[in-house]
Amino acid sequence: MRNQIITLFGCLILTYGLSSCGEFYKLEKSTNWDELYEAANRYYDKKEYNKAIILYDRVLPVIRGSGKAELAEFNYAYSHFRTKRYIESAGYFKTFHDTYNRSPLAEEALFMHAYALYLDSPDFNLDQRSSKDAVNAIQLFMNKFPESDSYERALSMVDDLQERFEEKAFEESKMYYKLTDGLFPGEFYRACIINFQNFAKSYPDSKYNEELAYKLVEVSSAYAERSVFDKKEERLKQSITFAENFFKKYPDSNYGKKVQNMIARTETELDSHYKVKEDYEKRSAEARKRMQEEEERNREAAEMLRNAEN
C-alpha cells in the first residue's frame, strides 16, 4: 500500500510538471502580448525568474513605451539579479533609472545598479577594475539620493571596496619587497621606495603604514649601500631622512630598535663615503695640478723652441 501511494504521488508530480512545461511551451509560441505580459509577471511573482526572463524578452519589445513597460522592465532587471546575473542586471537597472527617472522606483533601481556591480566585484587578490566601476556607481547613487534609507548601506559598500583596494595595494607592495631578494634587485629597490610612498599617500590611515614605513627605511638603506659612487651620498641621506620620519610618526614602534640600528649603519656608511670622497677629491685635485704643471712645462718648452729657431 505504501509503495502504491508513493508511486501515485510521483505520477501526480510528473503530470503536474508536464502540464506546467506544456503551458510554458505554449506561452513561448504565443503572440497574445497581454497573455505573455500577465504570464511573465506571474512567473516573476512565483520566483520562477528564468521563465520570467524568457517571456519578458518576448513581450518587452512590443510593450516598450506603454504603461505596462515600467513594471515589466523593473521586474526584468530584478529577474537577472535574482539569478545572479549581476552585470546584466546592473545594466538593466541603470537603463530603467535613466528611462524612468521620475518613477517612484528610480531610487531603488539606481541603488540596485550599484549593488549588483558591488556583488560582482572580485576578491582583493584579483583585478579590481570592476570594483572601481562599482565605487563610481555607488558614489553616483549617494550624490543623487543623499537622504535615501539606503545611504548608510551604500556607504558601507564603499568602505568594503576601499578595503579591497587597500589589501590589493598592500599585496603588490609585498610582491615588490620579495623581488628585492633576487639576483638583480636594483630596479625593485627603487620600485619599492616609490610604491611604499604612494601607498602611504593613497591610504594615510591604513593599518599597514607602520610596517611599510619600516620596510621603506630597510629597502632605501640597502639600495643606498649598493649604489654607484655618484648616487650613493644622496641615497644614504634619503634613507636617514626616511628613518627620521619613521620615528616622528611612530616614536613607540616595535620596529624602533631595528630602525635605530639601520640609522647607525647608514651613518657609518655615509662617514666612510665622505672619507672616500674626500680622498678622491684630494687625488683628483693633485692630478689636475700635475696636469696643469705638465701643460705649463710643455708651453714653456714650446716657447723656448720657437725662440731658438728665431
Side-chain angles (χ1 to χ4, degrees):
M1 177 64 71
R2 181 183 177 187
N3 289 339
Q4 289 176 339
I5 292 173
I6 292 173
T7 301
L8 179 61
F9 184 68
C11 289
L12 289 172
I13 293 175
L14 180 61
T15 302
Y16 175 79
L18 291 173
S19 173
S20 177
C21 289
E23 177 191 357
F24 183 75
Y25 178 77
K26 290 178 182 179
L27 285 168
E28 283 188 284
K29 304 300 180 183
S30 175
T31 56
N32 185 331
W33 308 117
D34 288 334
E35 181 184 34
L36 282 172
Y37 173 76
E38 296 298 333
N41 289 338
R42 188 167 61 252
Y43 279 117
Y44 177 82
D45 291 337
K46 291 163 59 178
K47 300 182 180 181
E48 296 186 46
Y49 300 115
N50 286 316
K51 290 181 179 180
I53 288 172
I54 292 171
L55 298 184
Y56 282 131
D57 275 331
R58 293 214 53 219
V59 77
L60 274 172
V62 178
I63 67 171
R64 189 160 282 127
S66 71
K68 295 179 178 180
E70 181 177 332
L71 178 62
E73 290 190 43
F74 191 72
N75 289 350
Y76 185 64
Y78 254 118
S79 294
H80 284 81
F81 180 82
R82 299 299 184 194
T83 51
K84 299 183 187 288
R85 302 171 194 177
Y86 296 128
I87 292 297
E88 293 93 333
S89 71
Y92 293 133
F93 279 122
K94 185 64 166 59
T95 299
F96 180 93
H97 170 269
D98 294 344
T99 305
Y100 306 101
N101 55 76
R102 295 185 179 180
S103 167
L105 300 173
E107 178 184 326
E108 182 177 351
L110 193 59
F111 174 80
M112 290 304 299
H113 162 65
Y115 186 47
L117 291 175
Y118 166 76
L119 291 179
D120 188 69
S121 59
D123 291 337
F124 74 88
N125 56 330
L126 301 175
D127 192 324
Q128 293 297 310
R129 280 176 291 186
S130 60
S131 297
K132 292 176 182 177
D133 292 337
V135 168
N136 292 335
I138 297 168
Q139 292 288 1
L140 175 64
F141 169 78
M142 293 171 69
N143 291 339
K144 188 158 188 180
F145 299 104
E147 304 299 324
S148 172
D149 291 340
S150 299
Y151 188 90
E152 291 298 325
R153 189 177 178 191
L155 193 61
S156 68
M157 287 157 52
V158 170
D159 290 342
D160 178 53
L161 290 171
Q162 291 293 354
E163 286 181 9
R164 296 187 202 183
F165 297 149
E166 183 181 326
E167 291 286 344
K168 178 73 172 178
F170 181 63
E171 289 300 315
E172 290 176 353
S173 296
K174 289 199 299 183
M175 178 193 69
Y176 283 119
Y177 181 76
K178 289 177 182 177
L179 290 172
T180 60
D181 288 334
L183 294 176
F184 305 100
E187 289 301 313
F188 296 115
Y189 281 130
R190 186 167 62 180
C192 272
I193 292 169
I194 295 171
N195 184 278
F196 294 170
Q197 289 177 294
N198 288 341
F199 184 95
K201 291 176 183 176
S202 299
Y203 307 100
D205 300 320
S206 174
K207 61 184 178 182
Y208 300 119
N209 278 334
E210 182 179 347
E211 178 182 350
L212 291 183
Y214 159 70
K215 287 181 177 178
L216 177 61
V217 178
E218 180 185 15
V219 168
S220 64
S221 176
Y223 186 44
E225 289 175 6
R226 291 164 174 77
S227 294
V228 296
F229 184 82
D230 290 344
K231 299 285 187 180
K232 195 163 191 174
E233 180 179 346
E234 175 190 351
R235 291 172 181 170
L236 287 168
K237 288 179 177 179
Q238 183 186 50
S239 179
I240 292 172
T241 299
F242 288 148
E244 291 171 345
N245 290 339
F246 176 88
F247 279 117
K248 288 178 183 176
K249 194 164 186 180
Y250 307 105
D252 301 318
S253 173
N254 291 331
Y255 295 110
K257 188 173 182 180
K258 291 181 179 180
V259 173
Q260 194 64 56
N261 290 338
M262 282 189 281
I263 290 178
R265 188 175 69 242
T266 303
E267 288 177 340
T268 299
E269 186 74 18
L270 186 59
D271 288 340
S272 298
H273 177 77
Y274 282 146
K275 291 177 182 178
V276 172
K277 181 180 178 180
E278 183 181 359
D279 183 63
Y280 172 78
E281 290 175 347
K282 182 179 179 180
R283 289 175 181 272
S284 296
E286 291 173 352
R288 285 194 298 272
K289 183 179 179 181
R290 286 196 297 271
M291 289 178 62
Q292 290 172 354
E293 291 173 350
E294 183 66 23
E295 289 174 358
E296 183 63 28
R297 285 195 296 270
N298 289 338
R299 281 196 298 271
E300 290 175 354
E303 184 67 25
M304 291 175 62
L305 180 60
R306 282 194 296 272
N307 292 335
E309 288 175 351
N310 292 333

